[in-house]
């Protein structure tokens, strides 16, 4: 109720709907020129980095999952990676494979949600997937089926779709048997088929021309399209280990947001997420995903944020293929986790959440407690770029009336799939033309 | 898309968010097999995560996610209550204050200084409190996150005008029903199952893990006895306190477990100020 205008335009989308979390957008126009754009994130702060101090070194895995109900696995993976780095443990082999499988489930679930529920309605002129279903039930049901299969992975491997219970520092509490994974494989085959159809569907949408000019930052892995990774690269020379993050990326606070912003030191704003990942790693896509991308006419480097929906759909195909490959290679390990003992130290973790790179850093004291925690979610990193993107969009479309401008500005924001809960934090648009 | 309305008006559903992770409202969208059937029977009148269409209240059923952590939200929930015939809170944040209620045990000013360089930009309350501290709540659905089956049961019950079949027994009952080996007795794994509200289907013990209490305390939970058992498992007083103090830390049952003196985990002396330097940049 606080998020919507009172008066005659109550049905308009004054609050930025179809994003995760709460915020508002403020655009100030003077004499036909944009003088200020603010993406206000007013989601109340929850202080995770503060109350993690003094918790046991195994606890961030479950606690940081609660930062985001849409991408809890990303938080679990970055937390595990960072803590394992701090205590000097490497998780590889079948246990790393199982982590990849779990992560594939989250990419599929989160991307299928964004494609069908949050983003596609914008291209097709609907206010929700529910109203879209009233005219084309089959495409929404197909999307739900893809999403359901992603959630099945999370349930089989993680115990449940939201805040999985089976992940811990060192590996898992219990590893699935081959017999448990086999029925999942059959579902994944079907999911793969549907996911290829989804790429074809979204590729047919009408995309406005637009190019982002910012630095593109993604995690890096020598052979894999990155989910689990340990290095960070950009198209402007960044090539660093996770441990060097704080030397190159700076977080800062702005008055209009409870989410911190981030920038590359010396250079400025940057973008993480599907466009950045695809730019750097398109050649590492699995075969069906690469084929689907080609058939969809997706250029090897696509920096049109509207077309990010195609990249997400291609990444869903890739995630299905990766998940199937993990199951085909699966040999159940003798241990569910490698032994871990606390020791004082500092550790860093970068993995690719569906929305983009997620960095965690923990300092562990001699009692095995967290002395300091740093968490840099993807939406915090993208917020300056989203504002910049909005600025250009509004300037180029300044003659539209307020309602149409608001609607299309919201689309500009949704292109980036902001997870405002993650970044702390939706949108009233105020256009001030005074 | 709305053609002529021939059918009787459907009950309206609104989904509200306060301080939370969005996971409990996502549970509704996670009902993939049932979602279309639900939207056939109820009108989604306000659900920002899923739709930019907003229908004016009042609403027949409101689902409320999240806890109250700001003065603005403390007022907003009253308006939500006024607009709602039935109000159901969903999840540990809405029913117990959530993980962010850990601030209730410490000093929110300290937390602000750890995370933000310029705390003055923020307005937040010193506490995170459940919705029932602020308005009358018709039913509470527990869990971090809530369970999909329980959510569908509640929506179905409200539509049918009957009482939902949601038990208030402990996780142990569900665990026995699944024929799990008791992780506490057989493996010596610390487990909050005996004092934790059912609803998850004994998920953690089924994965050879002790229950970590994400559904909060069960009815009549004997916290003192549980604490003794955990102590006998070799847990320190500090570890026991931390086990209770997670997603339902501010629930009455878990708030003050009878533990001995513990090293102060969150004393101001441990805390250094934010690593960030204050600045105000514009794009």
């Amino acid at each position: 109720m606080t998020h919507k205008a009172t008066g005659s335009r109550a049905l308009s989308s004054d609050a930025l709907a179809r994003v995760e979390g709460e915020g508002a957008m403020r655009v100030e126009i003077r004499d036909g020129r944009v003088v200020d754009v603010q993406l206000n994130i007013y989601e109340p702060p929850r202080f995770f980095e503060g109350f993690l101090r003094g918790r046991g070194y195994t606890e961030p895995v479950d606690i940081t999952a609660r930062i985001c109900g849409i991408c809890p696995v990303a938080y679990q993976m970055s937390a595990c990676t960072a803590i394992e780095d701090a205590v000097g443990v490497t998780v590889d082999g079948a246990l790393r494979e199982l982590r990849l499988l779990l992560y594939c489930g989250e990419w599929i679930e989160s991307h299928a949600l964004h494609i069908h529920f949050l983003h596609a309605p914008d291209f097709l002129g609907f206010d929700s997937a529910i109203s879209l279903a009233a005219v084309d039930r089959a495409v929404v049901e197909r999307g739900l089926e893809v999403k359901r299969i992603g959630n099945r992975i999370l349930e089989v491997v993680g115990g449940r779709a939201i805040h999985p219970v089976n992940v811990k520092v060192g590996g898992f509490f219990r590893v699935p048997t081959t017999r448990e994974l086999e029925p999942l494989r059959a579902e994944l085959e079907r999911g793969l088929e549907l996911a290829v159809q989804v790429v074809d569907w979204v590729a047919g949408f009408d995309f406005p021309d637009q190019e982002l000019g910012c630095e593109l930052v993604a995690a890096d892995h020598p052979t894999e399209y990155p989910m689990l990774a340990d290095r960070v690269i950009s198209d402007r020379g960044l090539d660093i280990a996770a441990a060097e993050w704080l030397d190159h990326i700076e977080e800062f606070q702005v008055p209009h947001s409870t989410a911190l912003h981030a920038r590359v030191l010396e250079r400025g704003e940057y973008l993480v997420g599907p466009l950045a990942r695809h730019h750097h790693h398109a050649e590492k896509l699995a075969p069906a995903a690469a084929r689907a991308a080609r058939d969809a006419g997706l250029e090897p480097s696509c920096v049109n944020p509207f077309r990010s929906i195609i990249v997400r759909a291609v990444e869903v195909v890739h995630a299905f293929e990766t998940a199937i490959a993990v199951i085909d290679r699966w040999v159940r390990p003798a241990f569910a986790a490698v032994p871990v003992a606390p020791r004082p130290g500092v550790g860093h973790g970068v993995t690719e959440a569906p929305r983009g790179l997620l960095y965690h850093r923990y300092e562990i004291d001699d009692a095995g407690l967290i002395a300091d925690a740093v968490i840099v979610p993807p939406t915090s990193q993208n917020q300056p770029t989203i504002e910049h993107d909005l600025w250009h969009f509004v300037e180029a479309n300044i003659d539209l009336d307020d309602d149409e401008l608001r609607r299309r500005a919201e689309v500009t924001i949704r292109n980036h799939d902001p997870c405002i809960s993650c970044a702390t934090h939706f949108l009233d648009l105020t256009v001030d033309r005074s | 898309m709305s053609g002529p309305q021939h059918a009787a008006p459907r009950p309206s559903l609104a989904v509200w968010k306060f301080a939370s992770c969005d996971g409990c409202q996502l549970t509704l969208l996670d009902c993939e097999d049932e979602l279309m059937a639900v939207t056939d029977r109820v009108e989604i009148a306000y659900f920002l995560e899923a739709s930019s269409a907003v229908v004016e209240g009042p609403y027949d059923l409101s689902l409320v996610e999240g806890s109250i952590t700001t003065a603005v939200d403390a007022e907003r929930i009253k308006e939500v209550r006024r607009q709602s015939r039935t109000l159901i809170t969903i999840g540990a944040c809405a029913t117990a204050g959530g993980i962010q209620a850990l601030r209730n045990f410490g000093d929110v000013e300290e937390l602000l200084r750890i995370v933000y360089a310029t705390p003055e930009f923020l307005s937040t309350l010193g506490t995170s409190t459940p919705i029932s501290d602020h308005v009358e709540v018709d039913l509470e659905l527990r869990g971090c996150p809530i369970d999909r089956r329980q959510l569908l049961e509640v929506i179905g019950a409200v539509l049918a005008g009957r009482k939902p079949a949601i038990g208030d027994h402990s996780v142990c009952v569900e665990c026995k029903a699944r024929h799990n080996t008791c992780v506490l007795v057989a493996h010596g794994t610390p487990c909050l199952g005996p004092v934790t509200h059912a609803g998850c289907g004994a998920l953690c013990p089924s994965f050879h893990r002790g229950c970590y209490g994400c559904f909060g305390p069960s009815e009549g939970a004997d916290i003192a006895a549980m604490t003794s058992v955990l102590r006998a498992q070799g847990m320190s007083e500090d570890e026991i306190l931390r086990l209770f103090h997670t997603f339902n830390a501010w629930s009455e049952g878990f708030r003050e477990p009878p533990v001995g003196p513990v090293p102060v985990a969150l004393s101001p002396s441990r805390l250094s100020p934010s690593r960030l330097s204050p600045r105000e940049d514009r794009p």
Side-chain angles (χ1 to χ4, degrees):
Chain A
M1 297 187 178
T2 51
H3 306 329
K4 88 190 178 204
T6 49
S8 57
R9 290 196 312 209
L11 292 185
S12 69
S13 50
D14 295 284
L16 186 62
R18 289 184 276 126
V19 296
E20 308 297 349
E22 308 216 330
M25 163 172 63
R26 209 189 128 67
V27 175
E28 208 177 314
I29 299 167
R30 297 242 182 278
D31 305 324
R33 291 206 53 211
V34 180
V35 294
D36 198 18
V37 171
Q38 293 183 1
L39 183 57
N40 296 85
I41 289 188
Y42 55 73
E43 176 125 348
R46 293 191 290 152
F47 309 114
F48 279 89
E49 289 163 320
F51 61 64
L52 278 166
R53 295 189 186 184
R55 304 294 301 205
Y57 78 105
T58 58
E59 292 188 90
V61 180
D62 291 311
I63 290 179
T64 63
R66 270 67 182 183
I67 291 174
C68 179
I70 323 298
C71 53
V73 171
Y75 283 86
Q76 295 184 327
M77 293 299 118
S78 285
C80 282
T81 311
I83 295 162
E84 287 154 7
D85 180 41
V87 301
V89 160
T90 306
V91 173
D92 51 17
L95 294 177
R96 182 179 185 277
E97 294 263 296
L98 196 58
R99 284 185 172 173
L100 270 184
L101 178 58
L102 185 69
Y103 224 150
C104 288
E106 179 156 291
W107 276 36
I108 295 166
E109 190 282 330
S110 175
H111 277 356
L113 176 76
H114 188 263
I115 292 167
H116 296 89
F117 278 81
L118 312 184
H119 211 189
D122 282 334
F123 293 98
L124 302 171
F126 294 91
D127 50 38
S128 72
I130 298 154
S131 52
L132 168 59
V135 292
D136 193 348
R137 191 149 177 146
V139 297
V140 175
E141 286 182 339
R142 182 178 64 201
L144 282 167
E145 179 65 2
V146 170
K147 181 171 170 304
R148 187 190 65 77
I149 299 171
N151 276 339
R152 275 304 293 158
I153 300 178
L154 293 164
E155 288 164 0
V156 170
V157 179
R160 62 184 169 196
I162 301 166
H163 306 329
V165 301
N166 192 23
V167 178
K168 69 177 197 176
V169 176
F172 293 85
F173 287 90
R174 180 184 178 279
V175 287
T177 61
T178 307
R179 265 178 53 187
E180 287 168 318
L181 292 181
E182 264 166 14
L184 184 58
R185 193 190 185 289
E187 291 202 80
L188 293 173
E189 287 286 357
R190 175 172 158 66
L192 175 57
E193 208 174 292
L194 297 177
V196 171
Q197 294 172 15
V198 172
V199 175
D200 186 52
W201 177 58
V202 299
F205 294 171
D206 206 8
F207 299 101
D209 286 328
Q210 201 203 335
E211 290 202 345
L212 292 172
C214 62
E215 187 161 355
L216 301 169
V217 174
D220 190 34
H221 186 279
T223 56
E224 297 170 4
Y225 195 89
M227 290 184 182
L228 301 169
D230 52 18
R231 291 190 68 82
V232 179
I233 55 171
S234 86
D235 58 338
R236 296 189 193 160
L238 198 66
D239 184 2
I240 57 170
E244 298 170 283
W245 176 272
L246 290 179
D247 301 332
H248 297 272
I249 307 288
E250 177 193 42
E251 274 188 293
F252 57 100
Q253 189 183 359
V254 294
H256 61 272
S257 173
T258 53
L260 300 170
H261 289 199
R263 70 163 138 226
V264 180
L265 275 168
E266 309 301 326
R267 281 194 296 274
E269 65 187 48
Y270 63 98
L271 183 78
V272 297
L275 291 178
R277 280 195 295 258
H278 182 257
H279 170 87
H280 289 291
H281 302 289
E283 81 285 358
K284 295 173 192 157
L285 284 169
R291 202 161 44 241
R294 206 168 45 241
D295 293 348
L298 184 66
E299 47 280 55
S301 175
C302 165
V303 285
N304 179 341
F306 291 92
R307 288 167 71 80
S308 67
I309 193 170
I310 309 178
V311 179
R312 281 187 198 91
V314 166
E315 289 189 339
V316 172
V317 175
H318 175 82
F320 274 115
E321 288 176 281
T322 304
I324 291 168
V326 167
I327 293 178
D328 288 344
R329 292 191 294 259
W330 181 246
V331 178
R332 192 176 195 232
F335 299 98
V338 297
V340 178
R343 69 173 196 204
V346 175
H348 310 260
V350 290
T351 70
E352 284 281 349
R355 284 159 191 77
L357 191 151
L358 169 61
Y359 169 82
H360 285 218
R361 174 192 181 275
Y362 297 100
E363 188 181 330
I364 299 170
D365 70 13
D366 48 17
L369 303 179
I370 303 294
D372 188 53
V374 178
I375 297 166
V376 187
T379 298
S380 288
Q381 301 174 66
N382 283 346
Q383 203 176 331
T385 298
I386 298 174
E387 286 185 347
H388 202 140
D389 193 6
L390 256 181
W391 187 300
H392 286 299
F393 175 81
V394 172
E395 212 151 53
N397 295 279
I398 211 154
D399 296 332
L400 294 174
D401 67 45
D402 281 5
D403 280 345
E404 186 57 15
L405 189 64
R406 173 185 301 118
R407 194 190 70 77
R408 289 171 57 175
E410 287 189 3
V411 176
T412 303
I413 294 169
R414 281 195 287 269
N415 282 339
H416 297 284
D417 189 12
C419 180
I420 297 177
S421 290
C422 289
T424 336
H425 321 293
F426 186 75
L427 297 188
D428 280 306
L429 172 66
T430 310
V431 181
D432 180 353
R433 294 187 193 257
S434 59
Chain B
M1 288 312 101
S2 52
Q5 302 283 317
H6 299 299
R10 296 167 296 168
S12 58
L13 172 72
V15 181
W16 307 96
K17 175 185 160 64
F18 293 85
S20 68
C21 78
D22 285 56
C24 289
Q25 53 177 315
L26 178 65
T27 304
L28 185 56
L29 299 178
D30 273 0
C31 300
E32 290 96 359
D33 291 337
E34 301 86 3
L35 187 63
M36 290 290 109
V38 170
T39 58
D40 287 342
R41 292 193 54 197
V42 301
E43 177 191 28
I44 308 281
Y46 186 92
F47 186 8
L48 282 184
E49 189 178 57
S51 176
S52 45
V54 171
V55 180
E56 289 284 345
Y59 309 99
D60 293 306
L61 172 60
S62 277
L63 299 174
V64 178
E65 170 191 279
S67 66
I68 303 300
T69 61
T70 65
V72 170
D73 279 356
E75 287 307 309
R76 184 161 64 101
I77 187 61
K78 291 178 189 159
E79 181 59 23
V80 170
R81 176 70 262 190
R82 273 193 287 276
Q83 297 272 357
S84 309
R85 291 202 177 88
T86 301
L87 188 156
I88 298 176
T89 50
I90 55 169
C93 296
T95 61
I99 184 82
Q100 58 273 17
L102 288 175
R103 76 178 70 180
N104 302 4
F105 300 93
D107 177 356
V108 75
E109 296 297 325
E110 292 291 343
L111 290 169
L112 270 168
R113 277 196 287 277
I114 295 171
V115 181
Y116 296 98
T118 316
E120 307 81 81
F121 293 162
L122 289 103
S123 59
T124 184
L125 296 172
T127 53
S128 169
T129 44
I131 301 300
S132 60
D133 278 10
H134 301 266
V135 296
E136 195 186 331
V137 170
D138 298 303
L139 185 81
E140 295 190 318
L141 207 48
R142 304 277 206 89
C144 183
I146 54 169
D147 181 80
R148 187 165 51 193
R149 292 153 297 188
Q150 288 202 337
L151 177 63
L152 288 169
E153 165 61 18
V154 162
I155 294 174
V158 168
L159 289 175
R162 63 171 170 82
K163 191 175 182 299
I166 304 285
D168 54 12
H169 49 274
S170 75
V171 169
C172 282
V173 177
E174 295 183 313
C175 209
K176 296 290 167 290
R178 285 184 73 153
H179 306 292
N180 287 335
T181 302
C182 178
V183 297
L184 184 68
V185 173
H187 306 140
T189 303
C191 178
L192 290 181
V195 296
T196 298
H197 197 287
C200 65
L203 215 42
C204 287
S206 306
F207 278 81
H208 303 173
R209 172 181 193 175
C211 166
Y212 60 92
C214 71
F215 275 62
S218 56
E219 190 64 28
D222 189 341
I223 305 296
M226 183 81 247
T227 307
S228 305
V229 170
L230 295 172
R231 203 173 280 127
Q233 304 283 347
M235 289 181 79
S236 71
E237 302 299 293
D238 184 34
E239 286 168 336
I240 294 170
L241 183 62
R242 281 193 269 119
L243 187 56
F244 283 106
H245 278 192
T246 59
F247 317 106
N248 293 278
W250 198 244
S251 66
E252 250 177 69
F254 288 180
R255 196 181 299 175
E256 291 175 332
V259 293
V262 296
V264 181
L266 205 70
S267 74
S269 63
R270 291 183 60 87
L271 309 178
S272 53
S274 171
R275 68 207 135 77
L276 306 172
S277 51
R279 54 188 318 155
E280 300 173 31
D281 295 71
R282 301 291 326 125

